[in-house]
Amino acid sequence: MLTIYGVHRSRALRNIWLAEELGLTYKLIPVIQAYRLEEPDAEDAPFNTNSPDFLEINPAGQIPVIDDDGLILRESLAINLYLARKHGGPLAAASLAEEGAMMQWSFWGATEIESNALKIQQTYGDNLEGTLGGREVLAVSLRQLRRPFALLDSHLAEHGFLLGNRFTVADLNVVELVRYATSEAGLFEANPNVAVWLKTCHARPCFQKVWQIRQDEPA
């Protein structure tokens, strides 16, 4: 059986969402990020990324990790590409060319979007958007995201989704990176096709299910 280590308020959400889309039976073992705890190494600390038992599973000390019938795999985007290929269906690649495109979009999103989008989320999450330092971070992040968002918007204007004119694991992977930047409404106003695509992906029942659980999870 598939076991996912992580919590909904983490990159593990990507894997939980995909597992739901694929209709997989899975077990979720909550593992909290150590930085969220005051004393992650305390004897009574909840199971976290510093816990010795978890470090035996992933010495890198990061979530998510999966155990798929003995196969230990980390890195959320790689996990999703693996699960989609293993279980098939409409979210998976229909050809070798599509598989290459799925990897291309996923790696592109990780290198061109995630870092700066995360800085936007963290700035707003820490209520720093009104400070001088926060405004500087936002300005730099938005400048760095201008070109990749424009590229994505142009592609979506023609195709609607990233490939195959249907929702696939590539859309799930990349939309989860784009989501981090949603506090900057102007970025999406300037890229309306990205905004429509984001809304379409997030309207899927499986996303709505896991997002509600995430909202109810302790911050």
Side-chain angles (χ1 to χ4, degrees), residues 27-45:
K27 178 181 180 182
L28 178 65
I29 297 182
V31 183
I32 300 173
Q33 302 95 321
Y35 71 80
R36 294 172 57 186
L37 302 171
E38 289 188 7
E39 297 184 65
D41 299 320
E43 289 187 6
D44 59 348

Side-chain angles (χ1 to χ4, degrees), residues 130-149:
T131 67
L132 177 59
R135 288 194 296 271
E136 290 176 348
V137 169
L138 292 175
V140 172
S141 297
L142 289 169
R143 185 166 63 250
Q144 294 296 324
L145 288 173
R146 190 174 298 127
R147 177 175 291 180
F149 263 66

Side-chain angles (χ1 to χ4, degrees), residues 30-200:
V31 183
I32 300 173
Q33 302 95 321
Y35 71 80
R36 294 172 57 186
L37 302 171
E38 289 188 7
E39 297 184 65
D41 299 320
E43 289 187 6
D44 59 348
F47 196 40
N48 67 82
T49 52
N50 273 7
S51 299
D53 288 347
F54 178 72
L55 291 174
E56 288 185 10
I57 300 166
N58 182 11
Q62 297 175 337
I63 52 175
V65 182
I66 65 166
D67 181 340
D68 188 33
D69 292 326
L71 171 67
I72 305 298
L73 194 63
R74 58 181 184 265
E75 299 300 331
S76 60
L77 302 182
I79 289 169
N80 276 357
L81 292 169
Y82 159 77
L83 290 175
R85 181 173 185 181
K86 176 179 178 179
H87 296 282
L91 272 69
S95 66
L96 181 60
E98 281 200 352
E99 186 170 354
M102 287 177 174
M103 290 189 286
Q104 172 188 270
W105 280 112
S106 297
F107 299 158
W108 173 83
T111 57
E112 298 296 320
I113 290 180
E114 185 169 31
S115 177
N116 286 295
L118 264 176
K119 289 176 184 176
I120 291 173
Q121 183 190 62
Q122 291 165 350
T123 299
Y124 279 92
D126 293 337
N127 297 314
L128 297 175
E129 67 275 13
T131 67
L132 177 59
R135 288 194 296 271
E136 290 176 348
V137 169
L138 292 175
V140 172
S141 297
L142 289 169
R143 185 166 63 250
Q144 294 296 324
L145 288 173
R146 190 174 298 127
R147 177 175 291 180
F149 263 66
L151 185 156
L152 181 58
D153 193 75
S154 177
H155 179 85
L156 292 171
E158 183 176 352
H159 301 283
F161 292 100
L162 294 185
L163 66 145
N165 296 314
R166 71 188 193 279
F167 179 82
T168 69
V169 65
D171 295 283
L172 193 158
N173 276 352
V174 178
V175 83
E176 271 297 281
L177 308 176
V178 167
R179 174 174 62 81
Y180 295 140
T182 51
S183 295
E184 279 295 322
L187 186 60
F188 293 87
E189 291 169 1
N191 297 280
N193 298 296
V194 175
V196 170
W197 168 74
L198 178 76
K199 184 176 180 180
T200 299

